[in-house]
Amino acid sequence: MNKLVVFCEHQSHNLKRSSIELLQFGRSKNFHVVGVVLGSEGSAAAEQATANGAHEVLWFDDAKLNGYNPELFLTALEVGIKQSDARHVLAPASSIGRDVFPRLAARLDSSVASDCVALSVDDNAFVAKKPMYSGKCFAQVSLKDSPYQIVLMRANQLPVAAAGSSNAGAIKKAALPDVSLKTILKEVVKGASEKLDLTEANIIVSGGRGLKEAGNFKMLEDMANVLGATVGASRAVVDSGWVSHSMQVGQTGKTVAPTLYIAVGISGAIQHLAGMTGSKVIVAINNDPNAPIFQKATYGIVGDLFDVVPKLTEEFKKLLHK
Amino acid sequence: MKIFVGIKQVPDTETKIKLLPNGAGVDLTGVKWVVNPYDEFAIEEAVKIKEKNPGTQVFAITLGPKQRASEVLRTALAMGCDEGVVVNSNIELDNLSVAKALTAAIKAEGACDLLLLGKLAIDDNGSAVGPMVAELLGTPHISVVSKLELSGSTLKVERDVEGGAKEVFEVSTPCVLTANKGLNMPRYASLPGIMKAKKKVLKEYEAEALGVSASTAKSKMASFSMPEDKTAVKMLTGDASAQAQELARLLREDAKVI
């Protein structure tokens, strides 16, 4: 049985969905799955990893790993991979994943496939599907020739089944070696929103210039609150300073692929479309029947968004009993 | 202080992508090549540091086919970089090989106190080369930087993470940073800047002479495909109330996404 290391990212003591997807994928492909959990706050996540497919978990129970430090995470992950004798590694294409795994790949004289949306195993080699030009086309990346095969997967791309019984796998403690640090984490400044990041959100409500002014984003926040969604934006309104860049969807913002994407007052520039066409269901609300966004939409409403959006929010409330 | 800026040539974001007939790659004929948008923030930051710290030199470095690589470097030079370094390569290399070639060229040019790059290239969304070069140079790195304060050899750096949160790091030079939107407002190249850029030095290295080639690649891209065609849009009719009601019903009962 080939060994596979899965980086088990956790937030507020819970294993992230993106890591659960990878654990279950590894199990379904008959790997011996080793979850690596970092930080003294990872106890519950380690349990959840065993219930979601990990044959064993290496838990670095060390408070120094509670905040993100690139050097400490790099060291711990290298130890975890070497200890488990794995040549296959999966991690979420998250802020941490995208930061530490390319560096780890270079240390292991290996390549990395990042931001992937599908994954298969062909004769022990990972073959990952990767959007190019933010989704204008796709390529298959083969890691057959890489000593360590490291793939970073986007969230919400692989199916998740209900967790099995806990303590199915053993949790082993692992120790972080001493590192003389050159990088010091001084502070973490929380974002304005407690919601899921756009790259992890299952539903996104996105606004564009059609909203006319920054204050009108409140309408989208109201709808997002009812749906449990995250609010996004087009480049035009980010560049106008209405909302922060962290909310921008598109080729120079975030590439997203939620189950439901609701585009409000967004005409659909090619760069925006590239960033969201991977969404399963797309709703477009716009007053211009010729807006390019309708060519990518599943459902379209031509109308005055100031009229339609509040009514739609009311309908969602009724359906969801809120 | 000696600063390097790593730049990638990418198709302009307006480009409509077409595939080669057999899906072996992307048909790049007629593509307009530009500086990767995130690399513009890296160039601007390097030039700003130079303006505040006399004696600082800024080298722009890129890997690619010589002609388009040189053209993109001229843009960086016109924005204020002092010299350009082209690593000539006519083949697609994997991220590790690119990192190895850039590292070798930077080392050949002597010391590097700071390497700035964009947080990712908008063609393959990779975000790999910056941290990889840092590893190969043996320096620390911070990625997705939206604020940078330099005093002496100490840097205070803000990194953007999920949900609009920020991590604040302290790190010393030499180091590698990758730039996010928000770090600054890249300047446009001025006419005098463009004229001066024509006279600036462009050095050249061959990727093969730096030890990388198709055979050193650890990953390969193949079987390119276009997104699946979407089914035609279903337009909802009636007044706003009817449209809203029908849409909510469809999302719930047909699409089953809420």
Side-chain angles (χ1 to χ4, degrees):
Chain A
M1 229 180 189
N2 281 316
K3 301 223 169 135
L4 166 74
V5 159
V6 172
F7 175 43
C8 294
E9 236 184 301
H10 52 95
Q11 192 173 30
S12 315
H13 300 279
N14 277 310
L15 190 57
K16 282 192 171 188
R17 182 194 146 108
S18 47
S19 288
I20 294 175
E21 290 177 36
L22 303 177
L23 290 165
Q24 294 194 0
F25 172 86
R27 190 82 181 211
S28 74
K29 297 292 179 189
N30 293 318
F31 281 100
H32 178 86
V33 182
V34 183
V36 174
V37 177
L38 306 185
S40 63
E41 293 167 349
S43 157
E47 293 285 346
Q48 290 160 8
T50 63
N52 279 288
H55 291 85
E56 56 180 303
V57 170
L58 287 178
W59 176 27
F60 289 78
D61 177 11
D62 192 320
K64 289 201 285 291
L65 295 165
N66 288 350
Y68 179 59
N69 182 302
E71 295 177 59
L72 293 176
F73 272 52
L74 180 72
T75 305
L77 288 164
E78 187 188 7
V79 169
I81 290 167
K82 297 257 169 84
Q83 261 185 27
S84 53
D85 199 26
R87 291 289 168 144
H88 294 80
V89 180
L90 290 176
S94 59
S95 289
I96 292 175
R98 298 178 70 121
D99 187 73
V100 72
F101 282 94
R103 182 162 194 150
L104 184 58
R107 183 166 288 191
L108 300 170
D109 199 35
S110 296
S111 190
V112 59
S114 51
D115 209 31
C116 300
V117 295
L119 183 60
S120 57
V121 186
D122 177 21
D123 195 18
N124 292 328
F126 275 153
V127 180
K129 186 180 182 188
K130 177 177 172 48
M132 299 291 292
Y133 312 99
S134 299
K136 289 179 186 172
C137 71
F138 295 88
Q140 298 283 351
V141 185
S142 167
L143 290 159
K144 185 165 58 77
D145 299 328
S146 194
Y148 290 81
Q149 302 189 31
I150 307 175
V151 175
L152 308 182
M153 289 288 295
R154 273 196 211 160
N156 300 323
Q157 304 301 313
L158 299 168
V160 162
S165 62
S166 59
N167 61 42
I171 299 174
K172 296 175 194 163
K173 293 229 185 163
L176 177 70
D178 279 334
V179 182
S180 95
L181 285 179
K182 294 175 185 162
T183 315
I184 311 293
L185 176 64
K186 305 293 278 188
E187 188 188 354
V188 178
V189 184
K190 276 197 176 169
S193 165
E194 294 291 310
K195 297 217 176 80
L196 279 176
D197 191 71
L198 284 171
T199 53
E200 298 173 331
N202 212 19
I203 302 180
I204 293 172
V205 181
S206 227
R209 228 198 281 269
L211 282 162
K212 297 209 166 78
E213 57 179 280
N216 292 330
F217 262 78
K218 174 78 171 58
M219 279 197 315
L220 303 192
E221 282 159 22
D222 291 345
M223 182 187 284
N225 286 339
V226 173
L227 293 172
T230 300
V231 177
S234 71
R235 175 179 173 163
V237 303
V238 170
D239 284 354
S240 306
W242 296 3
V243 296
S244 89
H245 174 244
S246 66
M247 291 169 65
Q248 184 182 325
V249 173
Q251 206 173 356
T252 53
K254 286 175 178 162
T255 309
V256 299
T259 322
L260 173 60
Y261 188 91
I262 303 179
V264 179
I266 293 176
S267 61
I270 184 169
Q271 298 90 341
H272 187 81
L273 298 179
M276 46 64 82
T277 38
S279 310
K280 191 172 158 222
V281 173
I282 296 169
V283 171
I285 302 170
N286 205 292
N287 60 6
D288 174 10
N290 297 318
I293 189 82
F294 287 117
Q295 290 164 23
K296 300 290 176 187
T298 324
Y299 303 112
I301 291 180
V302 176
D304 177 4
L305 67 91
F306 295 96
D307 195 9
V308 173
V309 169
K311 291 197 165 81
L312 192 54
T313 303
E314 284 310 309
E315 291 297 331
F316 288 150
K317 268 190 200 165
K318 273 193 238 165
L319 275 182
L320 301 169
H321 307 292
K322 286 193 178 168
Chain B
M1 183 151 133
K2 194 159 159 190
I3 304 177
F4 281 81
V5 186
I7 295 167
K8 188 170 186 182
Q9 318 108 52
V10 297
D12 185 277
T13 58
E14 294 284 344
T15 309
K16 291 206 168 102
I17 296 296
K18 293 188 298 269
L19 300 185
L20 294 169
N22 52 6
V26 174
D27 182 357
L28 297 170
T29 43
V31 161
K32 183 187 170 202
W33 296 91
V34 298
V35 173
N36 175 45
Y38 288 105
D39 300 344
E40 292 182 1
F41 303 112
I43 297 170
E44 175 65 29
E45 201 62 21
V47 173
K48 272 171 66 183
I49 292 172
K50 183 181 102 164
E51 287 167 350
K52 279 192 210 147
N53 299 274
T56 299
Q57 277 184 305
V58 181
F59 288 65
I61 183 167
T62 191
L63 180 146
K66 189 170 137 187
Q67 193 188 343
R68 77 175 205 222
S70 307
E71 283 168 16
V72 162
L73 281 185
R74 291 288 171 204
T75 306
L77 296 176
M79 286 172 73
C81 296
D82 298 303
E83 286 188 31
V85 179
V86 176
V87 179
N88 182 33
S89 168
N90 289 308
I91 50 165
E92 282 291 324
L93 292 167
D94 70 328
N95 39 41
L96 183 67
S97 299
V98 172
K100 282 179 176 173
L102 292 179
T103 304
I106 288 169
K107 282 183 173 169
E109 289 294 315
C112 167
D113 298 300
L114 181 62
L115 168 62
L116 288 158
L117 313 92
K119 73 164 178 183
L120 58 79
I122 58 154
D123 52 358
D124 62 7
N125 260 30
S127 64
V129 169
M132 281 179 156
V133 173
E135 174 65 21
L136 299 173
L137 287 173
T139 70
H141 81 275
I142 311 283
S143 64
V144 201
V145 170
S146 60
K147 196 174 172 192
L148 188 165
E149 287 167 27
L150 174 71
S151 55
S153 63
T154 305
L155 290 149
K156 194 178 164 199
V157 174
E158 280 185 20
R159 160 177 145 83
D160 290 342
V161 296
E162 278 99 359
K166 288 175 188 296
E167 294 167 347
V168 186
F169 290 97
E170 200 172 271
V171 67
S172 303
T173 58
C175 69
V176 175
L177 305 176
T178 74
N180 195 14
K181 187 171 178 174
L183 180 61
N184 51 46
M185 284 290 283
R187 68 194 67 191
Y188 289 102
S190 65
L191 192 58
I194 294 168
M195 298 311 288
K196 267 192 223 161
K198 289 182 179 165
K199 291 183 194 133
K200 289 180 181 172
V201 178
L202 276 192
K203 282 196 184 164
E204 282 175 34
Y205 292 88
E206 291 296 324
E208 278 205 38
L210 298 174
V212 303
S213 63
S215 63
T216 62
K218 311 282 184 189
S219 65
K220 286 193 179 70
M221 278 195 220
S223 310
F224 285 71
S225 61
M226 296 302 281
E228 284 168 27
D229 284 335
K230 297 258 174 197
T231 48
V233 56
K234 181 175 172 63
M235 299 303 292
L236 305 176
T237 51
D239 63 9
S241 300
Q243 286 172 323
Q245 198 175 7
E246 177 63 358
L247 177 59
R249 188 193 70 77
L250 286 166
L251 292 176
R252 179 80 164 182
E253 292 173 13
D254 279 20
K256 298 187 171 69
V257 289
I258 60 168

